[in-house]
Amino acid sequence: SQTIHQWPATLVQPVGSPLSLECTVEGTSNPNLYWYRQAAGRGLQLLFYSVGIGQISSEVPQNLSASRPQDRQFILSSKKLLLSDSGFYLCAWSGRARGPYNEQFFGPGTRLTVL
Amino acid sequence: QKEVEQDPGPLSVPEGAIVSLNCTYSNSAFQYFMWYRQYSRKGPELLMYTYSSGNKEDGRFTAQVDKSSKYISLFIRDSQPSDSATYLCAMSQDTGRRALTFGSGTRLQVQP
């Protein structure tokens, strides 16, 4: 069966510090991978998605970046955090579907607080 | 205007009640409609998905889509305290990147 891991689970960082969040998927190969952010009381905002190693698409211009160094590893980074980067970060994966829709499976999330 | 609107709640109901959760949307290109359940401090999990208009039933859950009105609903029958969570609607269009557009979520509390 497939599983998705995210770490750390919680993180408190000062403004201006760097960030690295990691997501790994087990039990599947060549998945589509996604990073979402969920602010308090708001829906999930898609930040990045990837259809393969080294292939990253950005949805929202900001001080965050993403990388996919391995097939089942997705990393979210920042060189200097802002207060507005606080939120709940969710990684998701989906398989290769024949049609337009395929289910996205979410990880447990990382709660980031920037002080 | 947001692409997807959802009443944030909280919606409080007694155990056994029928719950109705709703979303409206503005983008007529959306074709796939999903409902996710998210427990506190957890990632969302998919409850149901439907394609285009119509109804879909799965146990105590029924999803309805009315594309002419750009309105979708999730009904929960015989609600249980374990149904207490935030319910997110999500939608996608056939763009190839398969990303989802989410509503902000409705918090549901089922009182025992």
Side-chain angles (χ1 to χ4, degrees):
Chain A
S1 65
Q2 302 88 1
T3 55
I4 179 169
H5 304 278
Q6 283 187 250
W7 63 91
T10 59
L11 191 59
V12 180
Q13 291 284 99
V15 169
S17 63
L19 174 73
S20 181
L21 303 181
E22 189 163 343
C23 170
T24 59
V25 181
E26 296 177 357
T28 187
S29 58
N30 204 23
N32 294 326
L33 295 173
Y34 309 84
W35 277 112
Y36 289 89
R37 177 171 58 202
Q38 186 176 31
R42 300 181 68 179
L44 278 68
Q45 178 188 34
L46 179 67
L47 302 176
F48 301 95
Y49 72 97
S50 171
V51 298
I53 295 175
Q55 301 179 62
I56 309 294
S57 295
S58 175
E59 292 292 308
V60 181
Q62 56 205 326
N63 68 320
L64 299 173
S65 62
S67 62
R68 184 170 177 175
Q70 300 180 43
D71 180 46
R72 289 171 290 177
Q73 184 184 30
F74 207 20
I75 297 172
L76 183 69
S77 304
S78 174
K79 292 182 179 178
K80 287 186 177 182
L81 283 168
L82 306 173
L83 286 174
S84 57
D85 291 324
S86 293
F88 192 43
Y89 287 82
L90 288 155
C91 180
W93 74 273
S94 65
R96 301 292 176 176
R98 296 189 184 91
Y101 168 75
N102 52 337
E103 180 178 351
Q104 291 187 19
F105 300 89
F106 286 84
T110 294
R111 187 161 301 279
L112 172 65
T113 303
V114 182
L115 301 174
Chain B
Q1 182 190 8
K2 293 181 183 177
E3 274 194 298
V4 180
E5 299 276 359
Q6 189 175 6
D7 188 329
L11 177 63
S12 183
V13 301
E15 183 175 354
I18 296 174
V19 176
S20 173
L21 304 166
N22 311 294
C23 287
T24 59
Y25 62 96
S26 57
N27 187 348
S28 57
F30 287 135
Q31 297 187 65
Y32 293 86
F33 304 90
M34 288 133 271
W35 286 96
Y36 281 80
R37 177 175 61 196
Q38 185 177 24
Y39 291 112
S40 180
R41 297 181 176 272
K42 302 290 185 184
E45 56 178 333
L46 181 70
L47 274 179
M48 300 187 71
Y49 79 89
T50 54
Y51 171 68
S52 193
S53 289
N55 293 1
K56 185 174 183 179
E57 187 173 324
D58 184 3
R60 296 186 296 113
F61 299 90
T62 300
Q64 285 186 353
V65 175
D66 183 349
K67 289 192 72 180
S68 63
S69 301
K70 296 190 180 69
Y71 187 87
I72 69 170
S73 301
L74 177 71
F75 297 96
I76 307 174
R77 291 183 299 279
D78 188 25
S79 56
Q80 303 295 311
S82 58
D83 295 327
S84 298
T86 296
Y87 290 79
L88 299 154
C89 64
M91 308 175 188
S92 78
Q93 51 186 308
D94 185 5
T95 61
R97 65 176 174 81
R98 302 182 172 86
L100 303 177
T101 301
F102 282 84
S104 57
T106 298
R107 191 155 62 91
L108 171 66
Q109 297 172 341
V110 180
Q111 308 294 339

